[in-house]
Amino acid sequence: MKEFFYLFLFMLHFTEGCDLDQNTQRVDVTGHLGESVVLPCSCTELQAKPPQLTWTFTSLKHTTKPEEIYPNQRSERHRDRVKLLNESSPGNLSLHISNLNTEDQGEYHCSVLHQPHINITLSVQGCHLSDHGKRKEVSGYTGGSVLLPCSCTDPQTTVKFTWLLLNGSHRNEVFKNEIYKGRLKLFNESNPANLSLLISDLRKEDEGTYRCEISPTYPDITVKIKGCDLDQNTQRVDVTGHSGESVVLPCSCTELQAKPPQLTWTFTSLNHTTEPEEIYPNQQSERHRDRVKLLNESSPGNLSLHISNLNTEDQGEYHCSVLHQPHINITLSVQE
Ligand SMILES: *[C@@H]1O[C@H](CO)[C@@H](O)[C@H](O)[C@H]1NC(C)=O
Ligand SMILES: *[C@@H]1O[C@H](CO)[C@@H](O)[C@H](O)[C@H]1NC(C)=O
Ligand SMILES: *[C@@H]1O[C@H](CO)[C@@H](O)[C@H](O)[C@H]1NC(C)=O
Ligand SMILES: *[C@@H]1O[C@H](CO)[C@@H](O)[C@H](O)[C@H]1NC(C)=O
Ligand SMILES: *[C@@H]1O[C@H](CO)[C@@H](O)[C@H](O)[C@H]1NC(C)=O
Ligand SMILES: *[C@@H]1O[C@H](CO)[C@@H](O)[C@H](O)[C@H]1NC(C)=O
Ligand SMILES: *[C@@H]1O[C@H](CO)[C@@H](O)[C@H](O)[C@H]1NC(C)=O
Ligand SMILES: *[C@@H]1O[C@H](CO)[C@@H](O)[C@H](O)[C@H]1NC(C)=O
Ligand SMILES: *[C@@H]1O[C@H](CO)[C@@H](O)[C@H](O)[C@H]1NC(C)=O
Ligand SMILES: *[C@@H]1O[C@H](CO)[C@@H](O)[C@H](O)[C@H]1NC(C)=O
């Protein structure tokens, strides 16, 4: 009876030993940058506890000797990022690696005493952010454009990404937002690793913080937009011209590169017998027809009005106005 009991114990011990599951002898595992991965390894008996388990790592380029990463870490490389998944089953020797980076690529060997190791090749995919991403603020002018930089170092990278405008807790995808319609351009067609976004025909409302949403997270980019503030130093100006000659009525944005929203020039005759009438961009009467033009070719923010072939009837008040701002008031007198 006693002999049977010991035989039973012996057999129990024997069957409970850990044989590495060699079905998984050569395995390729793919992970993604910044994410976690599980390298599979187990005893055929999941309740068996293995003798002397070790995990070793050899870098992809074989530039390093195989180094132990579990249970001891020989280098800083995997420090605090590896753990075993054997809590519920002592024979599950799978290794969990968190916060993956491209340097984690290589061969991983799961070994227990006196048995051929399991050989796992890990590759890590995803966008390895380039240094271009250090730029966290870009600025543009109304009517102009800005390039929001976002790119991966590896030109072969293919990643899923999108651009967000951070607006409170709201997930605001710029490509789904009507206000950007026809104003966005990507460059990933010619270069899949270039995820940069060009926003053109800028408006003041485009200002904000943008995120190139990939994994791992790209630093957010703050976009500042310089709009047109009328230069109020010239709020009241007297200008004198001469009959038959030309004159320039000065008006400008403080930022000469900014394009103003809804510029209008209006005219009120000297004797105030007429209502103020628009003379730019539309002419309400024949009075200034073909004699006014803007001088904004080189600087969109130079709103000065050029009037040619002056006559005394041009005398009066000229108002330069842009949306939501006090107008500039210029009094023109014309000498014979
Ligand atoms: C998990 O494996 C380690 C190393 O082999 C061992 O020290 C530990 O006791 C195991 N945990 C369980 C729950 O078996
Ligand atoms: C080992 O544990 C991991 C995580 O819980 C699990 O995904 C895996 O399937 C287990 N392996 C086996 C052979 O049960
Ligand atoms: C591990 O597997 C890789 C790819 O399958 C192979 O190139 C390499 O020689 C193997 N290493 C060992 C030590 O078996
Ligand atoms: C940002 O959120 C506010 C309030 O939710 C909303 O009024 C505004 O239109 C949003 N801006 C954009 C650009 O979607
Ligand atoms: C460029 O990126 C956008 C947004 O992720 C995607 O919809 C599009 O298919 C990509 N184009 C190419 C050529 O990869
Ligand atoms: C992405 O494309 C834009 C437009 O061609 C270019 O200005 C920018 O430099 C590119 N970025 C990278 C990192 O190649
Ligand atoms: C000059 O101003 C007009 C009216 O605001 C605008 O339509 C035009 O595009 C501007 N020209 C330039 C070069 O900015
Ligand atoms: C606007 O343009 C006119 C004509 O070129 C020039 O005389 C004037 O100085 C400019 N205004 C500003 C503020 O640059
Ligand atoms: C008032 O001025 C306008 C233009 O300067 C001129 O056409 C009109 O005849 C003037 N009216 C009177 C009553 O002087
Ligand atoms: C414009 O300026 C003139 C002379 O400086 C002044 O008489 C007139 O009241 C001003 N008009 C407005 C609307 O500010």
Side-chain angles (χ1 to χ4, degrees):
M1 192 62 199
K2 207 174 174 188
E3 284 78 4
F4 270 113
F5 179 66
Y6 282 118
L7 184 60
F8 174 69
L9 267 188
F10 174 74
M11 285 177 68
L12 191 70
H13 185 74
F14 186 78
T15 51
E16 271 191 347
C18 172
D19 295 317
L20 284 185
D21 187 349
Q22 297 291 339
N23 289 334
T24 56
Q25 194 170 5
R26 277 192 172 198
V27 187
D28 289 335
V29 173
T30 301
H32 291 93
L33 275 175
E35 294 178 5
S36 305
V37 77
V38 173
L39 306 183
C41 183
S42 59
C43 310
T44 49
E45 280 296 339
L46 280 173
Q47 289 315 312
K49 205 163 175 169
Q52 288 190 26
L53 166 70
T54 51
W55 277 93
T56 56
F57 167 70
T58 314
S59 75
L60 185 63
K61 291 164 193 142
H62 291 268
T63 48
T64 55
K65 302 236 156 214
E67 62 180 50
E68 184 176 331
I69 57 168
Y70 189 89
N72 306 304
Q73 273 122 26
R74 293 269 168 78
S75 79
E76 286 295 317
R77 201 194 304 264
H78 291 83
R79 183 93 2 127
D80 297 332
R81 295 192 296 125
V82 295
K83 68 175 188 206
L84 225 56
L85 292 174
N86 63 350
E87 277 116 49
S88 54
S89 355
N92 186 341
L93 315 177
S94 303
L95 191 72
H96 183 272
I97 309 179
S98 54
N99 197 11
L100 287 175
N101 62 61
T102 44
E103 312 252 290
D104 293 338
Q105 297 187 108
E107 261 177 50
Y108 290 80
H109 295 171
C110 170
S111 323
V112 305
L113 213 58
H114 307 310
Q115 287 186 46
H117 66 257
I118 305 291
N119 174 6
I120 296 170
T121 304
L122 173 66
S123 45
V124 176
Q125 290 183 348
C127 176
H128 204 239
L129 299 174
S130 78
D131 289 342
H132 298 281
K134 300 242 165 78
R135 208 165 154 207
K136 293 206 188 117
E137 191 173 313
V138 296
S139 57
Y141 297 103
T142 49
S145 59
V146 279
L147 182 74
L148 310 189
C150 179
S151 60
C152 315
T153 46
D154 181 1
Q156 299 311 317
T157 311
T158 48
V159 284
K160 277 183 105 169
F161 73 101
T162 193
W163 278 94
L164 304 178
L165 168 62
L166 304 182
N167 191 3
S169 59
H170 191 64
R171 213 186 119 83
N172 201 333
E173 283 194 46
V174 297
F175 288 103
K176 293 185 179 159
N177 195 326
E178 279 294 310
I179 73 164
Y180 295 102
K181 206 168 176 187
R183 301 196 290 129
L184 302 176
K185 186 169 160 39
L186 287 172
F187 303 96
N188 61 338
E189 200 153 318
S190 50
N191 175 2
N194 187 344
L195 316 180
S196 305
L197 177 70
L198 184 77
I199 310 179
S200 48
D201 190 14
L202 287 175
R203 302 161 187 177
K204 200 70 181 143
E205 308 88 85
D206 296 340
E207 211 166 65
T209 301
Y210 291 77
R211 176 174 296 169
C212 174
E213 195 185 54
I214 38 172
S215 179
T217 316
Y218 202 75
D220 294 337
I221 300 169
T222 303
V223 173
K224 291 259 160 72
I225 291 162
K226 294 177 182 136
C228 174
D229 294 318
L230 285 185
D231 189 350
Q232 298 290 342
N233 289 334
T234 56
Q235 196 169 6
R236 278 190 174 202
V237 187
D238 290 335
V239 172
T240 303
H242 294 91
S243 233
E245 295 180 0
S246 309
V247 76
V248 172
L249 306 185
C251 180
S252 62
C253 310
T254 49
E255 284 291 345
L256 280 174
Q257 289 314 311
K259 201 165 176 169
Q262 288 188 29
L263 165 71
T264 50
W265 277 95
T266 55
F267 168 70
T268 315
S269 69
L270 188 63
N271 55 23
H272 288 268
T273 52
T274 57
E275 293 282 309
E277 62 180 48
E278 184 176 331
I279 55 168
Y280 188 91
N282 307 303
Q283 272 118 32
Q284 277 176 340
S285 78
E286 286 296 318
R287 198 195 308 266
H288 291 84
R289 183 86 11 122
D290 298 332
R291 294 194 294 124
V292 294
K293 68 173 187 203
L294 227 56
L295 294 174
N296 63 348
E297 278 116 50
S298 54
S299 354
N302 187 339
L303 314 177
S304 305
L305 192 72
H306 183 274
I307 309 178
S308 53
N309 197 12
L310 286 175
N311 63 60
T312 48
E313 305 214 328
D314 293 336
Q315 295 187 108
E317 259 178 53
Y318 291 80
H319 294 173
C320 170
S321 324
V322 305
L323 213 58
H324 308 310
Q325 287 186 44
H327 64 258
I328 306 292
N329 176 5
I330 298 168
T331 303
L332 173 67
S333 33
V334 177
Q335 294 175 350
E336 296 274 5

